Amino acid sequence: AFEGCSLITLDMPTTVTKWGSRVFACSNLEKITISSTIKEIPDGMFESCIFLEGAVIPDNIEVIGNSAFSQCDRFKTVIIGKNVKTIKANAFRYSGLKEVIIPANVEKVENGAFANQWPLEKAVIEGKTVFSYPGYFIHTLMISPITVICPPSAVSPCLRQSMINQASPFSPFLKKDRLYVSLLSISL
């Protein structure tokens, strides 16, 4: 519908309760306000919106679709609402996030949801989120140092051991039931 359009600002109308996939993909959007009447951000909705700098995912959203914000080069911040349960594959892949906080309400993060976040400096996992393939989340850590903060139970023992094995020259440590890991590189 609006794919590739020259819209710069979007205030989604509350009269629309469902959007189609890729509806605003490849547009010139810089700022968006997501409607309080939708439950899901569809697949590719804002994919390749290279001028979009961030988003607030409101509390009414339960699912962030496949590639919803992927390849948003200037994307720096995302605030994930308290009712998001699933972040689908490649949702934020190749976006420019510097920090990501995955709230405790997020139950599942699918393959590649946060892959290739080269400026990423900090990842906070607040709950017991299930990563369908954790390597894709951690793959982003290959370029520069990053701090991962999560409850020890939030990640699988396999991933936690991989993080510990790769945490050179810094060692992980526990502090107030959080696992802190500073990584210079990792390969899973």
Side-chain angles (χ1 to χ4, degrees):
F2 298 98
E3 185 171 350
C5 72
S6 58
L7 283 174
I8 293 175
T9 302
L10 171 66
D11 289 319
M12 288 183 181
T14 57
T15 54
V16 179
T17 58
K18 188 171 184 175
W19 292 87
S21 64
R22 297 188 53 82
V23 70
F24 297 105
C26 302
S27 67
N28 291 331
L29 286 170
E30 295 175 10
K31 184 176 188 273
I32 59 171
T33 303
I34 298 171
S35 170
S36 61
T37 57
I38 63 172
K39 299 272 186 214
E40 179 174 351
I41 297 174
D43 296 350
M45 187 172 198
F46 300 105
E47 183 174 5
S48 298
C49 289
I50 61 172
F51 300 107
L52 190 59
E53 294 185 4
V56 174
I57 311 297
D59 292 341
N60 51 289
I61 300 295
E62 296 173 4
V63 177
I64 300 172
N66 292 322
S67 300
F69 295 96
S70 75
Q71 298 180 33
C72 293
D73 299 344
R74 296 185 186 172
F75 211 73
K76 301 291 180 236
T77 62
V78 62
I79 298 171
I80 299 172
K82 66 180 180 181
N83 290 315
V84 172
K85 302 287 184 230
T86 302
I87 300 173
K88 290 192 172 181
N90 303 314
F92 297 95
R93 186 179 187 127
Y94 288 112
S95 62
L97 289 172
K98 289 187 174 207
E99 178 176 313
V100 63
I101 298 172
I102 301 175
N105 51 278
V106 176
E107 296 169 359
K108 183 177 182 184
V109 175
E110 293 183 357
N111 293 352
F114 294 95
N116 302 86
Q117 299 294 326
W118 289 301
L120 189 67
E121 297 169 359
K122 185 177 182 181
V124 179
I125 304 165
E126 294 182 338
K128 295 182 179 181
T129 302
V130 174
F131 292 86
S132 43
Y133 183 71
Y136 276 110
F137 179 71
I138 302 301
H139 171 72
T140 196
L141 311 177
M142 296 175 66
I143 303 299
S144 61
I146 180 173
T147 300
V148 178
I149 304 169
C150 61
S153 61
V155 291
S156 70
C158 176
L159 174 60
R160 189 167 49 250
Q161 191 58 49
S162 295
M163 290 165 59
I164 289 169
N165 290 345
Q166 298 297 323
S168 174
F170 304 104
S171 296
F173 62 92
L174 287 172
K175 181 179 179 184
K176 293 187 180 178
D177 77 350
R178 294 273 187 212
L179 176 67
Y180 290 77
V181 183
S182 292
L183 303 164
L184 294 179
S185 66
I186 191 164
S187 177
L188 297 177

